Amino acid sequence: MATWFQQHRDKFNRALDACKYRYAWSAYPESPSSRIHGTHAAAAGRARFESLLNNDYPLTLPGEVSRIGAEASPYTGAPLGIGYPKVDIDTIMNAAQAAIPPWRDSDVETRVGVCLEILERCAGQLFENAHATMHTAGQSFIMAFAGSGANALDRGLEALVYAYKAMVDVPTSADWQRRFGKDSSARLTKHYKLLPRGPSVNVCCATFPLWNGYPALCASLATGNPVIFKPHPNAILPVALVVSVCREVLAEAGFSPDLVSLVADTREQPATTALLQHPATAIIDFTGSPHFGQWIEAHCRHAQVYTETAGCNAVVMESCHDMAAMCRAVAHSLCQASAQMCTSVQNIHIPAQGIVAGGRRIGFEQLADALVAAVEEQLAEPRQAALLCGALVNDDICTTLEKARALGVQHGQILRHSNPYTHPEYPLARTATPLMIALDQSQQALYSREFFGPVSFLIKGPSAERCLASATDNARRCGAIASHVYSINEAFLHAAQDAFNHAGASVACNLTGMPINFAAAYSDYHVTGLNPAGSACLTDLAFVASRFRIVQRKTLYAASEA
């Protein structure tokens, strides 16, 4: 509704300004502190989450044939026991298409206002969604509240800003005049109309189910397209909570709630491929594994596809002022969310002769020991380990760890074994600490693929220049979302920035004193689309501009129009 647009206009204007000037700003509270939310919000959110367990989720969708769901908590091992609508895909698609005309024909401010209200109400359920994310995706509560809550909402608002900018750049009409030869002229009235592509399928990932959920929702819905969420079978609840809000707001605004719906499934009864290859699917947003992302790009050419997958995120170490600070920064990335993030560091490239740190030469082995010690420091206190690492989303990560360990035994040197840590609140939590393996740069075939989870390689290269060449070649061929270089040598630093950028990868230089995994909404362009780690960027105009197309009408100017 236009009134919602006006109601949230101040916040929206701040977001427009932040996107323009790229400064630090957040529209939503990142902390669960009672000083911000009051004394009752946390308990009410947890109670709301717990009331959903072992029940059918309160959602009615077109084409429901039964109930489905097999989520289990990575912290307790217990099933959540929630049943979601299992729907007939043709029916849900037909309902989505039938809902388009009134939404398509509404004005830009109406659609953007509805999206702003959706984001505002989702911000009001941050506590229950944090518990839902924790007990499906395995994140710690604080990570779920901030990274999958407030930060993801910011990405949604950011996408909404770019959708608005793209749409208002198109005028509704124009008066056009031109002479043709000496004696002929024409005056035309032209009208321009934005048309949506059609149903948008948003495939959410298991570990950060709303990281692309909010941006894809806002980018597609604001531009006139219905959205069908396809959550990962392990993490349906966080997405279902958002779908409920969307349907509630749309109905209040006088539109069909079927503009936003949900297709839930299980690993045993998958629905993703059928949904993606449905002939009515016009837009696909996908966050997840590189393997399935590449499959979508190759087999879903009927749709406009936006992917964010992963790659071999690298650190190149050449020199530094403060080795301890550098090691702490990298160790934090190896531990955070048990490296189940698309920005987690995997490959650490170190010259064989070591680096210069604080004016002293530090050998490869000494630096490797310092990195291991920095990881141990991060994990020394159980509550800190729980806050930082969270839990493993599923048993697949355990399998990955075992494969990597075997690889390390056979081809390299295991510097640090991965072991579970004991969670102070959930003793049955599925946990793992970083596995760290030393390899030689010549073993590129071993480290030039993603090991999703807490696996990292310390790669000995012949020189800093060769380390850089290997890291950037990997980014070009295998993809990279977050790359890092540590150097106080200006010439090397400049060369490294150029090398990563020319490989289609963004790069951060000498970051310490902050979580280096962090990607800031309104400021950082997340994923470049220039390497295999994904085709979508959160967020630029390209993320939204092709979700609608422009049709026009032109007629001879009538005097009555004057």
Side-chain angles (χ1 to χ4, degrees):
M1 296 172 66
T3 53
W4 277 335
F5 184 80
Q6 294 305 323
Q7 180 181 334
H8 302 300
R9 187 63 196 253
D10 288 346
K11 181 177 287 185
F12 189 66
N13 284 343
R14 285 291 309 274
L16 277 165
D17 194 64
C19 286
K20 181 177 181 179
Y21 294 107
R22 318 306 294 178
Y23 52 77
W25 178 72
S26 177
Y28 306 99
E30 296 177 288
S31 168
S33 169
S34 60
R35 291 192 297 272
I36 298 171
H37 302 276
T39 56
H40 303 296
R46 182 163 191 160
R48 163 73 173 147
F49 161 72
E50 291 175 348
S51 73
L52 297 171
L53 302 177
N54 300 306
N55 284 299
D56 278 347
Y57 185 82
L59 180 64
T60 301
L61 294 174
E64 180 176 338
V65 295
S66 62
R67 288 273 158 164
I68 197 169
E71 298 159 295
S73 170
Y75 284 93
T76 66
L80 299 193
I82 303 174
Y84 304 93
K86 180 182 179 182
V87 299
D88 175 74
I89 290 176
D90 284 334
T91 304
I92 207 87
M93 275 291 184
N94 290 338
Q97 289 176 297
I100 291 175
W103 183 248
R104 172 198 65 203
D105 295 337
S106 62
D107 60 36
V108 169
E109 288 191 358
T110 295
R111 293 198 301 268
V112 171
V114 167
C115 292
L116 286 167
E117 179 66 13
I118 287 170
L119 293 176
E120 199 67 19
R121 295 194 194 182
C122 287
Q125 63 174 21
L126 279 174
F127 282 98
E128 53 258 52
N129 215 315
H131 285 288
T133 301
M134 179 180 179
H135 286 283
T136 56
Q139 297 173 27
S140 68
F141 179 78
I142 194 69
M143 171 64 82
F145 190 93
S148 293
N151 299 154
L153 282 166
D154 274 323
R155 283 294 188 191
L157 180 55
E158 177 187 56
L160 193 56
V161 162
Y162 281 97
Y164 178 81
K165 286 159 68 77
M167 290 187 290
V168 299
D169 189 56
V170 181
T172 57
S173 63
D175 181 6
W176 185 88
Q177 299 181 65
R178 179 183 163 171
R179 293 193 62 81
F180 291 89
K182 290 183 178 180
D183 304 318
S184 179
S185 65
R187 184 175 182 182
L188 303 179
T189 298
K190 301 185 180 185
H191 292 276
Y192 309 98
K193 187 175 180 63
L194 309 183
L195 291 184
R197 283 189 177 270
S200 172
V201 175
N202 183 357
V203 184
C204 303
C205 73
T207 51
F208 279 78
L210 296 176
W211 177 249
N212 79 316
Y214 288 123
L217 167 70
C218 290
S220 282
L221 194 61
T223 51
N225 305 281
V227 177
I228 300 171
F229 278 94
K230 170 56 192 70
H232 192 281
N234 290 359
I236 303 172
L237 182 56
V239 178
L241 287 166
V242 173
V243 170
S244 294
V245 169
C246 292
R247 292 176 67 85
E248 174 186 84
V249 172
L250 286 162
E252 286 183 28
F255 296 101
S256 169
D258 295 333
L259 284 163
V260 178
S261 55
L262 176 80
V263 172
D265 64 358
T266 62
R267 285 193 169 195
E268 293 72 29
Q269 301 178 62
T272 308
T273 301
L275 184 60
L276 295 180
Q277 293 195 314
H278 194 281
T281 296
I283 301 169
I284 296 170
D285 287 279
F286 171 77
T287 296
S289 73
H291 176 74
F292 194 54
Q294 290 162 11
W295 183 91
I296 292 172
E297 291 169 352
H299 293 89
C300 297
R301 298 187 184 277
H302 62 289
Q304 181 74 26
V305 174
Y306 300 90
T307 60
E308 179 196 338
T309 57
C312 301
N313 296 326
V315 175
V316 176
M317 295 181 173
E318 189 270 341
S319 58
C320 65
H321 287 298
D322 187 338
M323 186 175 77
M326 177 184 70
C327 290
R328 278 194 300 272
V330 174
H332 189 277
S333 177
L334 302 183
C335 296
Q336 190 175 24
S338 295
Q340 299 169 114
M341 300 177 68
C342 61
T343 51
S344 297
V345 166
Q346 176 178 293
N347 296 337
I348 305 168
H349 295 264
I350 304 170
Q353 71 272 25
I355 68 169
V356 174
R360 297 190 304 116
R361 173 67 61 180
I362 305 296
F364 178 92
E365 289 75 14
Q366 187 178 352
L367 181 53
D369 289 344
L371 285 164
V372 171
V375 168
E376 299 293 354
E377 182 183 357
Q378 298 283 335
L379 305 173
E381 206 278 315
R383 291 197 174 276
Q384 172 64 19
L387 181 71
L388 188 57
C389 297
L392 301 182
V393 65
N394 55 39
D395 288 329
D396 293 347
I397 309 298
C398 301
T399 302
T400 298
L401 280 164
E402 185 53 38
K403 288 180 178 178
R405 189 197 69 80
L407 180 152
V409 169
Q410 184 175 359
H411 299 287
Q413 178 188 358
I414 295 181
L415 303 175
R416 186 187 187 282
H417 285 276
S418 175
N419 298 298
Y421 75 89
T422 301
H423 195 286
E425 185 177 356
Y426 297 99
L428 298 179
R430 181 172 51 226
T431 66
T433 60
L435 171 66
M436 303 172 70
I437 300 170
L439 293 175
D440 187 81
Q441 185 173 301
S442 62
Q443 299 167 297
Q444 188 172 17
L446 302 180
Y447 60 81
S448 61
R449 57 191 174 101
E450 183 200 26
F451 286 77
F452 188 70
V455 177
S456 59
F457 300 102
L458 280 65
I459 302 159
K460 183 185 293 186
S463 66
E465 290 73 20
R466 293 282 296 277
C467 287
L468 177 61
S470 178
T472 53
D473 178 64
N474 235 19
R476 186 180 294 106
R477 293 186 303 105
C478 309
I481 291 179
S483 306
H484 300 269
V485 60
Y486 288 88
S487 176
I488 56 175
N489 179 328
E490 287 298 324
F492 183 85
L493 194 61
H494 182 76
Q497 292 176 83
D498 280 349
F500 275 112
N501 288 168
H502 295 160
S506 296
V507 61
C509 304
N510 297 321
L511 292 193
T512 59
M514 64 170 287
I516 66 173
N517 288 1
F518 184 71
Y522 317 108
S523 186
D524 288 324
Y525 291 102
H526 181 72
V527 183
T528 66
L530 290 173
N531 67 60
S535 64
C537 175
L538 298 181
T539 307
D540 59 10
L541 280 170
F543 186 66
V544 298
S546 197
R547 294 175 192 257
F548 67 89
R549 307 311 294 156
I550 305 162
V551 295
Q552 67 177 34
R553 308 171 185 184
K554 54 186 178 182
T555 58
L556 288 173
Y557 178 83
S560 60
E561 297 181 48

